[in-house]
Amino acid sequence: MGRKSAKGKEKKLRRKEENAKLAVSVQKVETANKLGDPLAPFPVFTKYERNGVSVKIECKKVADLDQETVEWIFQLTRENMQSLYESCEWGWKDREKREELTEDKAWYLLARDQENKPVAFVHFRFDIECDDEVLYLYEIQLIKDVRKKGLGKFLTQIIELMANKYEMRKVMLTTFKHNLEGYNFFTSKLKYEVDETSPEDPVFYESYCYIILSKYTKLGKLLKIKEEKEEEAKMAANGGAGDVLRDAITS
C-alpha cells in the first residue's frame, strides 16, 4: 500500500476534530433539554412589573402545558402572523403551524397576568444548527395590551441569559424581510446581526422572504475568536510551506 499523502492526513484530522466538536455540541443540547426548568437559576426574572404591566413568567416544555394554553398560543400566533405569512410564498397553513408549535422539542416562556391569563409567550428550542449548539427563538408573541412596554425585550433577555447559562454558542431566529417592526426590534434594540447562514447571496436575494439573525453568547464570542486565530495560524503555516516549496523549485 502506498504512502498516505500529507493532505489526506490533514483532511482526516480535520474530520476527526469536527466530529469531536459536534459530539460536544450535541451533549450540551441534550443536557439542556433534560432540564426540569431552565428558568430556575433566574428567580428575579420570574416576574415583570413595569410600565403598567404586572406579570409572572414561567418556563415549560410543550408537553407540560394544558390544552387551553396550547390553543391560546396557536390562536395568538395566527392573529399576529397570518398576514405576514400570506404576504410571501410561504403562505399560512394551520396544520403546519400547529405541528411546529407542539413538537416535542418546543419550550415556552409564558407571561401570565394577575388573573393567571396568558398575555405573551416565547417559543424556543435548544438545538443544533450547522453543527453548532444554539438556542433557536421560533416565536415571540404578545397581546396588544402589553406591547411596547418593555415586556418583549425582557423576555428576549431571559432567552439570552439561558443561552449563556447552558453554554449555547448563540441565539438564532428567523424574521420576515417585510416584518420591519420585528426586524428593527431585534437589530436596533437588541443588537442582533444577520447570521452567516442567512441566504443573502445577491443572485438569489429576491427569492427569499426571510432573514436569519443571531447574537453570540459570551462563550460563543470566545470560541469565535479562538477559531479565527487558529484559522489564521493554519493559513500562515500553509503559506510558509508554500514559500519553502517555491524556494526549493527556484533554487
Side-chain angles (χ1 to χ4, degrees):
M1 184 171 67
R3 291 187 304 175
K4 293 183 179 179
S5 68
K7 185 176 291 187
K9 289 181 180 179
E10 182 181 340
K11 186 176 181 181
K12 186 176 181 180
L13 178 60
R14 188 183 307 117
R15 185 165 59 247
K16 186 176 180 180
E17 291 173 346
E18 290 171 352
N19 288 340
K21 175 181 175 294
L22 178 58
V24 171
S25 299
V26 170
Q27 183 59 51
K28 286 182 179 180
V29 169
E30 289 180 349
T31 299
N33 278 317
K34 290 178 182 177
L35 292 167
D37 180 4
L39 187 57
F42 313 105
V44 71
F45 285 88
T46 57
K47 62 180 180 179
Y48 179 84
E49 296 178 342
R50 300 176 199 167
N51 304 319
V53 176
S54 179
V55 297
K56 56 184 179 180
I57 299 166
E58 60 185 2
C59 184
K60 291 185 176 182
K61 277 190 172 181
V62 66
D64 297 323
L65 297 176
D66 61 85
Q67 191 54 44
E68 183 179 354
T69 300
V70 172
E71 183 62 23
W72 174 83
I73 286 170
F74 170 74
Q75 294 296 341
L76 181 62
T77 303
R78 181 165 64 178
E79 178 183 335
N80 290 350
M81 299 299 293
Q82 184 171 357
S83 62
L84 288 168
Y85 273 78
E86 291 176 342
S87 297
C88 76
E89 64 270 18
W90 285 9
W92 175 267
K93 301 177 182 66
D94 280 1
R95 181 180 58 81
E96 289 185 6
K97 181 53 68 173
R98 281 187 185 276
E99 289 176 353
E100 177 185 290
L101 292 169
T102 57
E103 284 185 9
D104 291 343
K105 291 182 179 180
W107 284 92
Y108 283 91
L109 282 179
L110 276 167
R112 297 180 182 273
D113 64 17
Q114 298 306 301
E115 298 178 355
N116 207 40
K117 294 180 180 179
V119 298
F121 77 86
V122 179
H123 168 199
F124 69 95
R125 305 185 194 181
F126 298 106
D127 215 339
I128 298 293
E129 187 73 21
C130 296
D131 291 350
D132 289 329
E133 63 277 22
V134 304
L135 191 160
Y136 213 107
L137 195 164
Y138 275 69
E139 301 280 353
I140 177 167
Q141 304 294 343
L142 292 75
I143 66 170
K144 291 181 180 179
D145 291 347
V146 298
R147 292 179 196 166
K148 300 185 184 302
K149 296 182 179 181
L151 179 59
K153 183 177 181 180
F154 186 79
L155 292 171
T156 307
Q157 288 172 332
I158 294 175
I159 290 294
E160 293 172 8
L161 280 171
M162 291 194 294
N164 276 287
K165 172 67 176 177
Y166 303 115
E167 297 186 341
M168 299 295 107
R169 188 179 180 95
K170 54 188 173 181
V171 178
M172 296 182 68
L173 62 98
T174 301
T175 185
F176 287 121
K177 292 178 181 176
H178 53 289
N179 182 9
L180 297 180
E181 184 176 0
Y183 177 82
N184 290 333
F185 171 74
F186 284 105
T187 57
S188 298
K189 290 188 177 182
L190 295 170
K191 309 304 179 185
Y192 280 70
E193 298 180 346
V194 177
D195 190 77
E196 59 189 9
T197 63
S198 189
E200 292 298 290
D201 188 321
V203 177
F204 303 106
Y205 184 81
E206 296 301 329
S207 301
Y208 297 93
C209 61
Y210 65 92
I211 297 175
I212 299 173
L213 302 176
S214 65
K215 187 175 185 179
Y216 280 98
T217 60
K218 294 177 182 178
L219 177 62
K221 290 178 182 178
L222 292 174
L223 290 173
K224 187 172 185 290
I225 292 171
K226 179 174 179 273
E227 290 166 358
E228 288 175 347
K229 288 182 177 179
E230 289 175 348
E231 188 62 28
E232 289 175 1
K234 285 180 182 179
M235 291 179 66
N238 289 337
D243 292 340
V244 171
L245 179 60
R246 283 193 297 273
D247 291 342
I249 293 173
T250 56
S251 60

